[in-house]
Amino acid sequence: EAQVTQNPRYLITVTGKKLTVTCSQNMNHEYMSWYRQDPGLGLRQIYYSMNVEVTDKGDVPEGYKVSRKEKRNFPLILESPSPNQTSLYFCASSFGLAGGYNEQFFGPGTRLTVL
Amino acid sequence: KQEVTQIPAALSVPEGENLVLNCSFTDSAIYNLQWFRQDPGKGLTSLLLIQSSQREQTSGRLNASLDKSSGRSTLYIAASQPGDSATYLCAVNADYKLSFGAGTTVTVRA
């Protein structure tokens, strides 16, 4: 089944404890991105990747890191989480951005609470 | 910067009524526009995708139109059902990301 998976789905952690949220897709997509969703602010892009070893900042990258060493995986790293990073996180992927194969597929979300 | 607006923010209708959800965006240089459904605390379900060269897409009771030149899209849901109750998000694909509207929360009363 074609899908985007995220792990963990739920995480409660404490301030300053490094964590990684994994994202994996099995559709051979080149483009991947991370979003966070907050009440009243909607969904905002954190980082995106056009292909392996190619990443760039989105609208709200502060406090986050990403890497794209393999095409299928795009982990989101919080080196020193803070309470303002408590949010619902989504990973998304697509073949590209332009052209006919640019539908974005979303993972199920990761609910993160930082105490 | 792309701004996406959805009106109304909330909508309550009796079962069987048709739904009309509006989305407007400020920059017409887009790749496509997607409509999503989100249930409370849950993920995003893609409903319809309209490429920038298209005017309309249909899937079952759902129909979405796109007028790129005026920066508007409309999602029509025919013969609404209580199971249609959710938040509907439109997202514009441009500038290496999706820009989302704040959503329209729909309640269909039985």
Side-chain angles (χ1 to χ4, degrees):
Chain A
E1 180 189 356
Q3 59 182 347
V4 179
T5 57
Q6 294 179 227
N7 283 292
R9 296 288 314 281
Y10 302 89
L11 180 60
I12 300 174
T13 189
V14 295
T15 299
K17 185 176 181 181
K18 181 180 178 179
L19 66 93
T20 299
V21 183
T22 65
C23 173
S24 183
Q25 48 89 8
N26 62 1
M27 295 170 278
N28 201 34
H29 285 170
E30 292 189 348
Y31 176 86
M32 299 184 73
S33 62
W34 277 101
Y35 294 83
R36 61 178 288 174
Q37 184 177 32
D38 303 289
L41 297 175
L43 281 115
R44 296 173 292 167
Q45 190 188 55
I46 304 170
Y47 269 95
Y48 67 93
S49 170
M50 296 297 293
N51 212 326
V52 175
E53 302 290 3
V54 181
T55 63
D56 208 346
K57 298 176 181 178
D59 294 324
V60 288
E62 296 77 21
Y64 304 95
K65 286 177 58 177
V66 293
S67 68
R68 186 91 180 273
K69 299 191 186 309
E70 302 170 284
K71 198 171 188 178
R72 64 182 294 131
N73 296 323
F74 190 43
L76 180 69
I77 304 158
L78 285 71
E79 295 267 1
S80 183
S82 62
N84 65 12
Q85 293 179 297
T86 293
S87 187
L88 180 58
Y89 290 86
F90 290 103
C91 179
S93 72
S94 68
F95 280 111
L97 291 175
Y101 300 96
N102 52 10
E103 180 177 3
Q104 298 277 326
F105 294 84
F106 278 75
T110 294
R111 185 166 294 282
L112 172 65
T113 302
V114 183
L115 302 175
Chain B
K1 180 185 174 184
Q2 181 76 260
E3 302 286 343
V4 182
T5 304
Q6 290 187 247
I7 294 174
L11 189 58
S12 179
V13 299
E15 183 176 3
E17 192 164 302
N18 296 331
L19 291 165
V20 180
L21 310 180
N22 296 299
C23 173
S24 62
F25 48 96
T26 54
D27 188 344
S28 62
I30 66 172
Y31 297 123
N32 62 38
L33 185 146
Q34 266 182 271
W35 282 94
F36 294 90
R37 168 187 173 137
Q38 186 175 31
D39 293 291
K42 302 296 184 184
L44 302 173
T45 301
S46 182
L47 298 174
L48 288 169
L49 167 73
I50 311 177
Q51 299 293 348
S52 62
S53 59
Q54 297 175 318
R55 301 278 295 182
E56 186 173 20
Q57 275 291 340
T58 298
S59 176
R61 294 185 295 113
L62 277 59
N63 173 276
S65 65
L66 174 64
D67 184 343
K68 199 175 71 164
S69 61
S70 67
R72 294 179 185 175
S73 177
T74 302
L75 178 67
Y76 301 89
I77 303 177
S80 61
Q81 304 166 359
D84 294 328
S85 298
T87 295
Y88 293 83
L89 300 166
C90 76
V92 172
N93 185 352
D95 196 25
Y96 303 105
K97 65 172 181 271
L98 291 181
S99 296
F100 284 84
T104 295
T105 299
V106 171
T107 302
V108 181
R109 308 185 303 272

